[in-house]
Amino acid sequence: MALLYTHHYDLSFSALNLKKFGSSHLQPICCLRCNSSVSSSPFTEKHSLQRYQRDQWVYNNNNQQRPSLSCDDEAASCSVPADSDSIRLNDITLQLPELRKLLQVLKHKRESCGGQVPKNGLGDVFLVGTGPGDPDLLTLKAVKVIQKADLLLYDRLVSNAVLDLVGPDARLLYVGKTAGYHSRTQEEIHELLLSFAEAGATVVRLKGGDPLVFGRGGEEMDFLQQQGIQVKVIPGITAASGISAELGIPLTHRGIANSVRFLTGHSRKGGTDPLFVAENAADPDSTLVVYMGLSTLPSLAEKLIHHGLPPDTPATAVERGTTPQQRMVFAELKDLADKIKTAELVSPTLIIIGKVVALSPFWPQSLTEASRLVAV
């Protein structure tokens, strides 16, 4: 059943209960010290230099208070202060004046266009999938929409190379989430989309991979449609397809894998154990693809083996797949978690489990193993 939202923030974000932080407690982000060890990330990492450069417009009303970065030219990601929630609320507080100003500009633009806008005066919202990172994997339709947008709300896993395609007059706003730090709650993202669509803007919601595969695009579409906003979805190449193709792994293969299953490695707070499917998923004739599964892989592998999947099932873990920073490890299922730990892979990492992994040219003894599998 769809969830009905009957309130909205109107860019006041009253639900954040900012009043409980008296003005003396709202200290702006003054300096973010960057960690150069992760400077090679192709994505927007937490309080990164790229993020504040792209989103600089939204701090223009706070020239004396906006974030300044104590970073060298190569630094790309910064450590998050201990009280991440206060930092998040401070950041939103600094952004509100410019967000409100942009709303007024867009409303004026709509009114001055006269008959060139829909009778109801509402803008369109596009949910756009940007693929796993390589900008060459974008669809032509996605590129066209990205280049004509008024405002783009982008996630952490929209690569820097994709964001370089944004039109010069568009406004970018980071709404990414990482473990332990959400720059915006999902409800706040809903309200941003709604407020700017109501102002007649062309709003693009950029998501890594495909917006309707573990991307919460369905929730955003449902919310907006209930508010009378037209939503158009532009699919993207999901990580499973893009990364498996990069590695030469067919997700299905006659005589080896007759189905493929996508799993998520974690659930929403208070939700069902994400590993509850392990029993049904332990099918040696199927390929398993696990999104967001770094932390839960040891438990998942144990459950899969317990329910009958052979311990020597070929498997791989791929970090930052399809980007120049791609790293990968190959191992049998029973050893994969240890291999990942040794290689110190970080998020985003996609995990593929199944006999088809041995068909990859990167699999050790790939020619011998592939010949054996095809002959079976």
Side-chain angles (χ1 to χ4, degrees):
M1 177 182 295
L3 297 177
L4 178 62
Y5 295 89
T6 58
H7 68 281
H8 60 87
Y9 297 94
D10 193 24
L11 288 183
S12 64
F13 296 101
S14 58
L16 293 178
N17 197 19
L18 287 172
K19 291 182 180 180
K20 70 180 180 179
F21 297 91
S23 58
S24 61
H25 293 86
L26 284 173
Q27 298 300 322
I29 307 170
C30 297
C31 180
L32 297 170
R33 296 192 177 278
C34 298
N35 180 356
S36 59
S37 66
V38 291
S39 62
S40 61
S41 174
F43 303 110
T44 304
E45 301 292 348
K46 295 181 180 177
H47 298 291
S48 70
L49 176 61
Q50 290 96 331
R51 171 194 169 183
Y52 287 107
Q53 289 175 332
R54 292 190 192 104
D55 298 2
Q56 185 176 13
W57 68 274
V58 85
Y59 300 101
N60 283 344
N61 200 49
N62 298 276
N63 288 324
Q64 304 304 317
Q65 305 182 71
R66 66 186 178 190
S68 61
L69 297 174
S70 176
C71 313
D72 57 39
D73 291 338
E74 297 182 355
S77 182
C78 309
S79 58
V80 180
D83 190 356
S84 294
D85 192 52
S86 293
I87 293 297
R88 185 185 78 85
L89 294 176
N90 286 335
D91 207 23
I92 291 174
T93 301
L94 293 179
Q95 294 175 4
L96 280 176
E98 286 300 314
L99 287 171
R100 292 193 184 104
K101 186 184 298 184
L102 179 61
L103 266 180
Q104 293 303 314
V105 170
L106 292 171
K107 287 178 180 177
H108 177 73
K109 177 182 176 182
R110 177 191 63 187
E111 293 166 357
S112 64
C113 286
Q116 298 180 23
V117 296
K119 290 182 179 180
N120 60 9
L122 299 178
D124 289 327
V125 175
F126 294 87
L127 303 184
V128 178
T130 63
D134 182 354
D136 289 341
L137 296 179
L138 281 170
T139 64
L140 291 175
K141 192 171 186 179
V143 173
K144 291 177 183 178
V145 169
I146 287 172
Q147 293 179 339
K148 74 175 186 179
D150 294 311
L151 176 69
L152 301 100
L153 307 183
Y154 65 101
D155 281 346
R156 174 204 170 205
L157 296 184
V158 177
S159 70
N160 297 319
V162 169
L163 292 171
D164 288 341
L165 300 174
V166 172
D169 297 326
R171 294 288 185 265
L172 281 157
L173 183 65
Y174 179 71
V175 293
K177 302 172 184 174
T178 58
Y181 181 81
H182 291 185
S183 63
R184 289 290 194 281
T185 67
Q186 192 61 43
E187 289 73 20
E188 290 161 10
I189 293 172
H190 290 173
E191 296 304 333
L192 282 166
L193 292 170
L194 176 61
S195 295
F196 282 95
E198 288 179 334
T202 298
V203 187
V204 171
R205 178 75 171 97
L206 292 179
K207 294 175 174 286
D210 183 273
L212 302 183
V213 178
F214 300 130
R216 304 191 72 171
E219 297 174 41
E220 295 170 5
M221 181 169 57
D222 179 50
F223 169 78
L224 291 168
Q225 288 175 341
Q226 290 186 47
Q227 310 301 323
I229 304 297
Q230 183 177 3
V231 181
K232 299 176 183 178
V233 179
I234 300 178
I237 294 179
T238 189
S241 297
I243 293 173
S244 64
E246 183 82 6
L247 272 58
I249 299 173
L251 293 177
T252 61
H253 194 289
R254 189 174 61 174
I256 300 176
N258 54 28
S259 64
V260 59
R261 190 169 201 163
F262 297 168
L263 308 177
T264 176
H266 72 269
S267 64
R268 64 182 182 180
K269 185 180 296 185
T272 307
D273 180 356
L275 307 181
F276 77 98
V277 295
E279 182 175 1
N280 293 330
D283 179 2
D285 296 322
S286 181
T287 303
L288 298 180
V289 183
V290 185
Y291 292 70
M292 303 169 285
L294 272 181
S295 62
T296 53
L297 176 63
S299 297
L300 176 61
E302 182 180 339
K303 289 186 178 183
L304 289 171
I305 293 171
H306 174 74
H307 291 299
L309 199 62
D312 62 352
T313 299
T316 183
V318 188
E319 172 193 291
R320 300 167 176 171
T322 78
T323 73
Q325 293 82 8
Q326 174 178 293
R327 296 196 300 151
M328 54 192 173
V329 297
F330 287 79
E332 295 178 345
L333 177 59
K334 61 180 173 57
D335 301 322
L336 185 61
D338 289 337
K339 292 279 188 179
I340 290 174
K341 184 176 181 180
T342 300
E344 297 182 343
L345 298 189
V346 299
S347 173
T349 291
L350 189 80
I351 298 164
I352 305 175
I353 302 169
K355 291 183 288 187
V356 291
V357 173
L359 299 177
S360 169
F362 298 102
W363 177 257
Q365 301 89 38
S366 60
L367 292 178
T368 302
E369 185 70 11
S371 300
R372 185 186 69 79
L373 287 171
V374 173
V376 173

